[in-house]
Amino acid sequence: MFIKCDVTNAGDLSAAFGKHVDTYGGLDICINCAGIAIKTLVYDDRSDGTSTWRHAVNVNLVAVIDGTRIASQIMRSGKKPGVIINIGSAAGLYPMNFDPIYSGTKAGVVMFTRSLAPLKRHGIRVNVLCPEFVQTNMAEQLSRRIIDVTGGYIKMEDIVNGTFELIKDESKAGACLWITKRRGMEYWPTPEEQRKYMLNLPKSKRMLTQNTFSTVQTPEFYEKIVVHTLSHNFRDATRLERVRLRLPVEPHNALVKIIYAGVNASDVNFSAGRYFSGGAKETAARLPLDAGFEAVGIVASVGDSVNHIKVGSPVALMTFGAYSEFTQVPAKHLLPVPRPDPEVVAMLTSGLTASIALEKAGQMASGQVVLVTAAAGGTGQFAVQLAKLAGNKVVATCGGKSKAAVLSSLGVDRVINYQNEKIKDVLKKEFPRGADIIYESVGGEMFDLCLNALAVHGRLIVIGMISQYQGEHGWKPRNYTGLCDKILAKSQTVYAHLWQDHLDKLFDLYASGKLKVSLDPKKFVGVASAPDAVEYLHSGKSVGKVVVCIDPSYSQTLAKL
């Protein structure tokens, strides 16, 4: 149905919406797309602007505001969820000197839309799409030189895909999706940019999604795994200790009851003292050390100075001491989460490593070839999915049919099972140009192979060397004279300020069904099972994230909830 309508005429616009509702009985999706350019620069315009810049403001901005107003009122009156997509422009994100009015009105559309995020409470999500130049009649009037500077026209298909992304992703409200030929699709502004001006956003956002559980009973004693001697053999280096729970909690700390703890390949490096500066004597002087890097649980008690988090709140933590029934940590280090589920554990070290590494170190865009080694592991599963979601061709290596099947189910374009075929031969034959991004965690000969398979201007992200962690001497330089070790050691920038934003992003993708979280099916129950879990991870048999269930009684309660 087509209705001819002057969108600057409030009566016409309202009547058009009315005709739609009368015909179809409601409104689920509304796309407000209005935009005209003016050839005369506003500062050269001698008229009153009625047919030039004032008209452009009414079409580009006022009509979009009115269309959003009418659509949202129809959706709210029907008490049904709905989605409104406003079409902005990249000209609303950065100045367009040859048409300041177009740039200004589109910037107004962007900020107007982003300010409507609270409508999500009424079931209405309003988002804005900001493409660069599409080959339309309006764009063809511009100088080709301007188009070429931005990389050329983007496909109409990209606009359609971006629109459907904003419609289907139920986590998006007040979101701005920027589409360019150069970088593909990305959300604007970035979380770090947003943090510069948004007041108390992390706190308010977390409180909206946070559940609170009943008060946690604190025992007199609890159990934990401690490193008592330095060794790459985790079992030999650790022991189970029963210690008294110290109360009250220190003023700025929180006591957390651990429900699930994550197992990492680098647990054996920690037990060998590889993450502490100084010599062997200085590291040995630190003993005993609380083992385990990551966990989810419930806040059992807080110190007097803690007011941003409550008892009973589900939280995640990435500090030493996760292999424990209880742990006391600075409250500022806790990350609020919707639920203390094992899937959230997988999102911590494993998921955040992949998300931040690909975005920051890999500068990942779309249309690239991304190679992920040990791809069926805890962090590899996230790397392949995030790369696919960004619109890339993903190549993944693994060992075994079951692992290959998991990777295929995650949408990997080419799975290389090194038990059946040689990785080097496949890469050379099928990807002769090389990989634009390589996410490498194996080390040794695999590192050498990846270095040779890197495309011109490619990025090699070293996130570990699991093949070198075990053994009498543990992590030891190979025939590349420590190059891999040096690269890993040089990644000294800690992106701790990005943890919450990337964790929220991962959980949103998981909750919307866009991201799968693979947990290894083998069960490890109780703190004492941590050494078994570490050895299992290093056996090469694991598929997905290996998790220890510290308290099965609470996990059963969570399952019922």
Side-chain angles (χ1 to χ4, degrees), residues 13 59 91 98 106 110 146 158 162 167 198 228 282 301 308 364 387 389 400 500 513 542:
L13 191 60
V59 172
F98 51 85
K106 289 301 182 179
V110 171
I146 296 172
D158 296 331
I167 290 172
M198 292 297 280
H228 65 88
E282 290 89 342
S301 181
H308 70 285
M364 185 171 66
L389 287 170
Q500 186 71 60
S542 62

Side-chain angles (χ1 to χ4, degrees), residues 526-554:
V527 181
S529 68
D532 296 331
V534 172
E535 289 181 352
Y536 175 71
L537 175 65
H538 281 277
S539 71
K541 299 177 182 177
S542 62
V543 180
K545 183 69 177 180
V546 179
V547 175
V548 176
C549 178
I550 301 297
D551 190 329
S553 63
Y554 258 78

